[in-house]
Amino acid sequence: NQFVWGYSEDMDPELQRVFNAAVAAGVNLFDTADSYGTGSGLDGRSEVLLGKFLRECPSPPAAVSGVQIATKFAAYPWRVTPGSIT
């Protein structure tokens, strides 16, 4: 999130290292939401990064395959219009 955390793409390598360290330490649940990756052109960026980090994680396959990603959709009034959700 650019507004809250000041995210920029040059942070991605550090975020990958943190993700790798978390998985290596046994963390297997990552909670995200579409609103966590917001900003100019970043909609869903948190989910995209988690997928990339998971594919590139150097931990043993058993640790990587045990990772769970939880996500949710924020139904902000300006996003929900008649016919927008099926």
Side-chain angles (χ1 to χ4, degrees):
N1 185 304
Q2 289 175 326
F3 179 72
V4 176
W5 303 108
Y7 169 79
S8 66
E9 290 186 31
D10 64 336
M11 300 167 78
D12 291 357
E14 180 180 4
L15 295 171
Q16 174 83 62
R17 289 190 295 276
V18 170
F19 178 88
N20 293 347
V23 172
V27 174
N28 65 354
L29 177 63
F30 294 86
D31 178 44
T32 187
D34 62 326
S35 62
Y36 299 169
T38 57
S40 179
L42 295 176
D43 292 341
R45 180 74 177 161
S46 59
E47 288 89 348
V48 169
L49 286 175
L50 281 171
K52 175 185 181 300
F53 295 167
L54 196 54
R55 284 190 306 276
E56 297 175 3
C57 186
S59 290
V64 173
S65 68
V67 170
Q68 302 290 310
I69 298 175
T71 191
K72 50 234 167 260
F73 168 73
Y76 299 123
W78 59 88
R79 290 176 140 178
V80 181
T81 59
S84 65
I85 299 178
T86 58

